[in-house]
Amino acid sequence: MNAPDTPFAFDAAITQAADKVEPRVVAWRRDLHQNPELGNREVRTAKVVADHLRSLGFDSIKEKVAHTGVVGVLKGGLPGPVVALRADMDALPVAEEVDVPFKSKVRTQWNGMDCGVMHACGHDAHTAILMGVAEVLAGMRAKIPGTVVFLFQPAEETPPVGEEGGARMMVEQGCLKNPDVQAVFGLHITSIYPTGMIGYRSGAMMASADRFRIFLKGVQTHGAMPWRGIDPIVVGAQVVLGLQTIVSRRMDITKEPSVVTVGVFQGGVRQNIIPDDVKLEGTIRTFDEGQRVEVQEHVKHITEMIAAAGGAKAQVFIDKGYDVTVNHPGLTAWSVPVLGRLAGEGNVGVVDKICGSEDFSCFQQAVPGFFYFVGCTPPDKDAATAAPNHSPRFYVDEDCLKVGVKTLSALALDWLASNG
Ligand SMILES: [Zn+2]
Ligand SMILES: [Zn+2]
């Protein structure tokens, strides 16, 4: 058997192949950037991906997984376990303001509204990186001790209203079964670090995100005679303040941080009319599934009690969003030296928790997973003030692409070699 006897065996071959494929990865990323598609609408993107995997002679290519997802399976020449790599493919309803030759001019409809479309979260880079990894690994498949599953995922930024999609739907449709995936890796580029830097965190790294909607029903009356009605605006104001006591008074902040934000407060049509109803909407972020349930219960209880005290009626709806992104501690400890070898030890560091959320968490609930950040702000710009992901001015230094190709390739191959 000519299986590699050290985890270092692949490094030189990966670096060489990643250098070779780099110009094509850049070209793929620019093509995807110029032709961005929103969640569950990644039809062209999925075809580009599937055609590429076909050209590489993949063992199986499933299309239309969770609407527009692509799952490719590459079997190595040697027996071994199964590892998965994930890239998300969708863009955002944002009109691009970056002045590049491949700037997106695409416009479309999203939830009934006209909008521009831009890869403002860098998923074009993720897709191009994973296409590059596919090329690198296909080129050395005879020596690969196991199987690599490539997950090209739609709708990470959520599908349109009324549709299902994303990682959860891919898992439900069996993307981690047959072959049965035993570990999953993924990355996200970010403007908050300079190109070449890699950030990770063991355990909870990104937050859960739940939306809440509150409907307060009062009794309409003249603004000059409030005693003849029930004022839902005053009750709503008290609810907003009451919700702010959840994190400050009720949660054990020594365990994990959390956030409760009211972002919508709607009610009334005229200065001298007390309205019937008020609507509030907000978001809950937590880093622990137990605390998540606790915050949800407090939101409900506090709202209902304050409304009752004011004589109003409250309806509270919690719309569950993405779960906490939790990096498996053992897999994280194992991954860090691999990242250090490929990207330089001084470039890999622990990052603070991030209150954004990711549906990579769905894969991590099914199998141990490791998710990490790759910096994409060019050296001549200040990462601390660079336009963040989701900004119409989000800018990607394409030198980050090779970092992604090398590290994902190495994580997959090393993991197979170490777990056979
Ligand atoms: Zn995003
Ligand atoms: Zn993203």
Side-chain angles (χ1 to χ4, degrees):
M1 212 156 110
N2 58 345
D5 50 1
T6 75
F8 303 88
F10 290 113
D11 285 5
I14 287 172
T15 302
Q16 203 183 15
D19 287 344
K20 195 169 158 228
V21 81
E22 184 184 14
R24 296 181 63 210
V25 174
V26 170
W28 289 325
R29 185 255 157 175
R30 292 182 180 188
D31 172 63
L32 297 172
H33 191 84
Q34 204 162 9
N35 298 282
E37 296 170 303
L38 296 174
N40 281 3
R41 303 291 182 269
E42 306 92 334
V43 176
R44 180 187 180 277
T45 308
K47 186 176 182 318
V48 168
V49 167
D51 285 348
H52 177 60
L53 301 186
R54 266 189 286 274
S55 79
L56 296 172
F58 265 51
D59 295 275
S60 94
I61 299 157
K62 267 193 219 128
E63 292 172 81
K64 297 186 179 163
V65 181
H67 297 294
T68 46
V70 180
V71 178
V73 176
L74 183 72
K75 283 187 192 149
L78 303 169
V82 183
V83 69
L85 303 174
R86 175 271 206 165
D88 39 13
M89 304 190 290
D90 56 324
L92 283 159
V94 169
E96 175 150 23
E97 292 175 16
V98 183
D99 201 12
V100 286
F102 47 93
K103 174 178 180 171
S104 165
K105 298 184 181 83
V106 174
R107 294 199 71 85
T108 190
Q109 290 271 314
W110 185 246
N111 295 332
M113 307 253 276
D114 183 66
C115 62
V117 186
M118 176 191 176
H119 270 295
C121 201
H123 299 183
D124 52 342
H126 304 165
T127 303
I129 287 169
L130 197 54
M131 287 170 69
V133 173
E135 179 121 0
V136 167
L137 298 193
M140 51 180 74
R141 69 189 295 177
K143 290 184 179 159
I144 297 177
T147 298
V148 187
V149 176
F150 290 74
L151 305 169
F152 289 91
Q153 184 209 306
E156 193 284 325
E157 305 282 4
T158 71
V161 170
E163 293 183 27
E164 299 279 302
R168 182 170 304 283
M169 196 173 183
M170 284 188 88
V171 173
E172 281 166 6
Q173 293 187 1
C175 72
L176 300 176
K177 299 272 168 217
N178 187 30
D180 292 357
V181 170
Q182 291 151 278
V184 61
F185 295 98
L187 61 76
H188 206 301
I189 62 165
T190 173
S191 70
I192 62 176
Y193 307 116
T195 307
M197 298 298 285
I198 289 182
Y200 72 93
R201 192 174 184 88
S202 188
M205 180 166 76
M206 297 179 75
S208 63
D210 299 317
R211 180 172 77 141
F212 61 85
R213 293 171 294 143
I214 295 170
F215 298 90
L216 297 169
K217 183 125 189 78
V219 176
Q220 189 270 323
T221 178
H222 197 292
M225 294 180 285
W227 57 88
R228 292 179 59 162
I230 303 256
D231 186 346
I233 289 188
V234 171
V235 172
Q238 289 176 308
V239 168
V240 172
L241 295 178
L243 297 182
Q244 291 313 306
T245 66
I246 297 172
V247 174
S248 69
R249 305 289 86 170
R250 306 305 298 269
M251 302 308 295
D252 180 355
I253 56 156
T254 63
K255 199 173 170 205
E256 290 288 0
S258 47
V259 174
V260 178
T261 292
V262 176
V264 173
F265 191 130
Q266 282 172 350
V269 290
R270 200 184 142 89
Q271 41 83 20
N272 61 359
I273 300 175
I274 289 170
D276 257 327
D277 318 281
V278 157
K279 180 175 98 171
L280 307 180
E281 274 187 47
T283 188
I284 302 168
R285 307 291 165 123
T286 69
F287 290 91
D288 173 271
E289 292 295 338
Q291 287 200 336
R292 181 185 189 182
V293 174
E294 237 183 286
V295 174
Q296 291 173 357
E297 282 167 358
H298 286 312
V299 166
K300 220 167 168 295
H301 187 68
I302 287 173
T303 302
E304 286 167 357
M305 291 299 130
I306 288 177
K313 290 199 172 66
Q315 275 188 301
V316 183
F317 299 93
I318 310 269
D319 306 316
K320 239 183 126 203
Y322 294 158
D323 301 331
V324 184
T325 300
V326 182
N327 277 332
H328 185 277
L331 190 62
T332 304
W334 178 88
S335 300
V336 173
V338 180
L339 295 175
R341 272 192 354 249
L342 274 294
E345 249 166 57
N347 294 326
V348 182
V350 175
V351 297
D352 291 337
K353 293 187 175 92
I354 290 173
C355 280
S357 68
E358 243 295 336
D359 72 352
F360 188 78
S361 51
C362 287
F363 300 117
Q364 289 173 315
Q365 284 174 353
V367 295
F370 176 65
F371 194 66
Y372 59 103
F373 295 102
V374 174
C376 71
T377 291
D380 61 331
K381 282 191 187 149
D382 180 9
T385 55
N389 295 51
H390 288 209
S391 161
R393 291 179 304 284
F394 176 65
Y395 179 81
V396 175
D397 174 6
E398 290 167 333
D399 282 350
C400 77
L401 300 173
K402 196 160 70 178
V403 179
V405 173
K406 282 186 195 174
T407 50
L408 270 187
S409 301
L411 286 169
L413 291 184
D414 270 21
W415 191 88
L416 293 176
S418 316
N419 290 276

